Amino acid sequence: MSQTSSGSPVPPAAAELPALRVAVLGAGTVGAEVLRLISEQDEDLAHRIGARLEVVGVAVRDTARDRGEHVPADLLTDDPASLVRGADLVIELMGGIEPARTLLLDAMAHGASVVTANKALLAQDGASLYEAADTHGVDLSFEAAVAGAIPLVRPVRESLAGDRIQRVLGIVNGTTNYILDAMTRTGASFEDALATAQELGYAEADPTADVEGHDAAAKASILASLAFHSRVRLSDVHCEGITQVSAQDIAAAARMGRTIKLLSIVERVAEENEERISARVYPALIPDAHPLASVAEAYNAVFIEADAAGSLMFYGQGAGGAPTASAVLGDVVSAARARVRGGVGPRESWYAGLDLIPLEELRSAFYVSLTVEDRPGVLAEIAGTLSGYGISISTIHQELLDPQDEEGARTTAHIGISTHRALESAMTASLDVFSSTATVLSIDSVLRIEGE
Ligand code: NAP
C-alpha cells in the first residue's frame, strides 16, 4: 500500500471496497434521515466500516409517494418480506409489532444482522428476537430504541459491563417532558399544554403512548433487562402517565421547591438475603436542585448509578429524525464492522434472573392532596390515619377553599401533605380509609417524591 505525505498508508478508494447489502424497512421520520446520512456520508462510512453500504431496497406502504432525493423511487418496495431475505443488514424503522417482528425474525433466520429503533417490539417480545440473534449468530442492535440520540444501550451493555449498576433514573420521553415543562413555565393545564405540544409537533395526534407512560415504560423494560441481566417485559413495569397531573399539583410542587417530571426508574432493591429489581414509570416531584429538574422542553436525561463508576449523567435529544438516525447509524456501523471482520458484537446476558418486586412492597415519599371538610379535628384525623399505617408527615399546607358562609364558618379546605418514606401498601391502605371517610371530600392527587 502506498503512503500519504505524513507517512500513513493511503486507504483504498471506497468504490474498491466490498459491498454490504442493506435493506431499510420504513422511510418515515427516522428512515428518511437514515437514508440521507447513508447517502451523504457514504465515503466516510465505507472507510470506517471497511465495506460500502449498498442500500438494496426501502420498504414502505405507499410506493407512489415522492420522498425526496435521498429515498430513490426505484428502491421503494411494498414487499418487505422479499427484501429482507437477500440482505446482510436489515434496518427496521417501521415501528409496531407486526409485521416488524416476523420480518426481523425472518431476516435473522436468513443470516442478516438487524438494527431496530422499535422499543415497543423489544419491550413486548425482545426475548424471541434476542434468541433468534443467538441462534443464527447475527447482531441485534437497538441503541435508538431508548432515548433517541443519547448513547445509553451501549454504555449500559458494554462500557459498564464490568460494573454493577444499582439504579437508572431518567426522563426518557420528550413529549411528556415538553408538556410538564410547559405546565411548569406557564401554569397551563395538562389539556392546554398537550394541545400546544400537538400544534408544535412535539405530541402526536393520538398521544396515548406518550402521555399514559407506555413509551417510557417500554424503555424502562429495555434498560432494566440490560442493567440487571434479567428479562424484564413491558408488563413487568408499573406504569402511570401524566394525564392526572394538574396545574394545582405543579403549583404545589413549586411551593415546596420541587418540579414534577415523568420518571422511568429501574433499580436493585436489596433486603436481607434477597435482591430483587423494580421497574416503574410515574410522574414524581423532584427537588428543583436535582439535575433532572432543569431538563427542559423535549430533552431527555438519564442518571446511572453504578458501584464503581458512581453517578453518570446522559443528556440530549431523545427523539426526532436526525438525532434518532444518528443512533441507528452507530449501530449500523458496528454491525457492519462485525460482519466485515467475521463475528458478532457484544450480547445481552440474562444470567442473573432477578425477580421483580411488586410496587406495594416499595418505599417512597409521597405528596397527597385532599379536599376536606374544614372543621376542627380534621387534620388530626388525617394525621392519625397516616400514622396508624406507619406514615409520618413531613409538611402540611392548608388552604381554605370556600368563602365564609353566613354563620362565619368555613366549609371546605384543601390540604397538601408530603410524607417521609413509607410503604406503598401503607399509602394505599390510608387512601382507602380517606375515600370512605366523610371528612375527606376528595382525594385530588397522589404523587411520589423522588431524588432526595
Ligand atoms: P413513521 O414516520 O411513522 O415511519 C414509518 C415508516 O414505515 C413509513 O415509511 C411507513 O410507510 C413504513 N411502514 C409502516 N408499516 C409498514 C408496512 N407494514 N410495510 C411497509 N412499510 C411500512 O415512524 P418513525 O417516527 O420514523 O419511527 C420508526 C421507528 O423508530 C418506530 O419504531 C419508533 O418507535 C422508533 N423511534 C422513532 C423516533 C422518532 O423520533 N420518530 C425516536 C426513537 C425511536 P409509509 O411512509 O408508506 O407510510
Side-chain angles (χ1 to χ4, degrees):
M1 192 182 277
S2 54
Q3 293 192 333
T4 61
S5 53
S6 64
S8 46
V10 177
E16 291 167 24
L17 293 169
L20 288 173
R21 294 165 60 82
V22 179
V24 182
L25 310 182
T29 308
V30 184
E33 283 299 299
V34 165
L35 288 160
R36 178 179 68 81
L37 293 181
I38 289 178
S39 90
E40 285 181 357
Q41 306 185 65
D42 56 347
E43 288 269 328
D44 284 334
L45 292 173
H47 289 301
R48 290 173 201 170
I49 294 165
R52 287 178 293 116
L53 296 178
E54 184 192 338
V55 178
V56 292
V58 179
V60 291
R61 279 178 296 218
D62 177 2
T63 53
R65 183 147 56 89
D66 177 25
R67 294 163 189 269
E69 60 172 317
H70 298 300
V71 191
D74 60 337
L75 290 182
L76 293 180
T77 172
D78 56 7
D79 182 10
S82 305
L83 180 62
V84 300
R85 293 191 177 177
D88 298 303
L89 284 170
V90 172
I91 308 175
E92 187 275 304
L93 300 166
M94 303 164 64
I97 305 301
E98 286 294 352
R101 178 177 172 281
T102 303
L103 290 166
L104 289 185
L105 291 174
D106 204 31
M108 290 190 272
H110 282 83
S113 286
V114 302
V115 174
T116 178
N118 195 333
K119 57 230 154 190
L121 175 58
L122 286 161
Q124 185 168 313
D125 198 17
S128 60
L129 296 178
Y130 298 131
E131 261 166 44
D134 266 347
T135 306
H136 303 295
V138 296
D139 277 314
L140 164 67
S141 319
F142 47 89
E143 182 64 70
V146 187
I150 308 173
L152 261 184
V153 170
R154 198 163 283 117
V156 170
R157 184 164 68 173
E158 298 175 38
S159 318
L160 292 167
D163 207 330
R164 187 177 156 83
I165 294 175
Q166 290 293 347
R167 195 166 197 245
V168 182
L169 167 85
I171 295 167
V172 293
N173 180 272
T175 303
T176 46
N177 200 58
Y178 184 90
I179 293 170
L180 291 172
D181 184 45
M183 291 172 74
T184 304
R185 280 185 289 103
T186 66
S189 67
F190 166 76
E191 289 74 17
D192 288 348
L194 169 61
T196 309
Q198 285 172 318
E199 272 164 36
L200 297 174
Y202 288 108
E204 292 183 21
D206 176 2
T208 313
D210 292 316
V211 299
E212 296 292 356
H214 304 157
D215 174 82
K219 293 163 181 169
S221 85
I222 296 169
L223 284 173
S225 301
L226 295 176
F228 306 128
H229 306 277
S230 301
R231 287 207 161 124
V232 179
R233 292 166 57 98
L234 180 57
S235 53
D236 296 322
V237 181
H238 173 85
C239 176
E240 296 170 31
I242 64 164
T243 55
Q244 303 303 314
V245 176
S246 66
Q248 290 74 18
D249 293 331
I250 300 271
R255 209 170 39 235
M256 292 187 277
R258 294 183 174 116
T259 305
I260 299 181
K261 294 289 187 189
L262 183 70
L263 299 181
S264 291
I265 305 170
V266 306
E267 64 186 347
R268 290 180 197 269
V269 183
E271 317 149 300
E272 294 166 8
N273 298 325
E274 195 182 13
E275 184 172 74
R276 289 183 285 176
I277 52 177
S278 163
R280 55 198 199 270
V281 169
Y282 45 56
L285 285 72
I286 54 172
D288 288 343
H290 192 286
L292 289 182
S294 55
V295 175
E297 302 191 332
Y299 278 85
N300 285 194
V302 176
F303 262 89
I304 300 180
E305 293 164 24
D307 282 356
S311 294
L312 303 166
M313 184 169 172
F314 299 80
Y315 171 84
Q317 298 189 63
T324 308
S326 163
V328 171
L329 255 291
D331 278 349
V332 168
V333 169
S334 295
R337 282 173 175 158
R339 286 242 138 189
V340 168
R341 290 183 189 145
V344 289
R347 285 269 185 264
E348 300 71 32
S349 62
W350 317 117
Y351 72 92
L354 295 173
D355 288 331
L356 278 121
I357 182 166
L359 187 75
E360 313 77 84
E361 295 179 36
L362 285 175
R363 289 180 172 275
S364 301
F366 291 90
Y367 167 73
V368 180
S369 121
L370 306 169
T371 302
V372 297
E373 270 184 31
D374 182 43
R375 59 166 179 75
V378 170
L379 269 184
E381 207 177 295
I382 289 165
T385 301
L386 290 171
S387 97
Y389 286 103
I391 303 174
S392 72
I393 292 174
S394 151
T395 63
I396 295 189
H397 177 85
Q398 181 168 3
E399 218 171 284
L400 300 172
L401 293 179
D402 287 346
Q404 286 197 330
D405 64 20
E406 282 166 12
E407 282 83 42
R410 291 177 191 273
T411 51
T412 61
H414 169 262
I415 58 173
I417 299 167
S418 63
T419 75
H420 292 292
R421 275 161 63 82
L423 270 177
E424 281 276 344
S425 57
M427 180 51 76
T428 307
S430 305
L431 295 172
D432 284 348
V433 173
F434 293 153
S435 52
S436 59
T437 309
T439 42
V440 176
L441 304 175
S442 61
I443 300 168
D444 302 324
S445 46
V446 182
L447 292 163
R448 294 160 191 89
I449 301 172
E450 295 283 349
E452 310 233 297

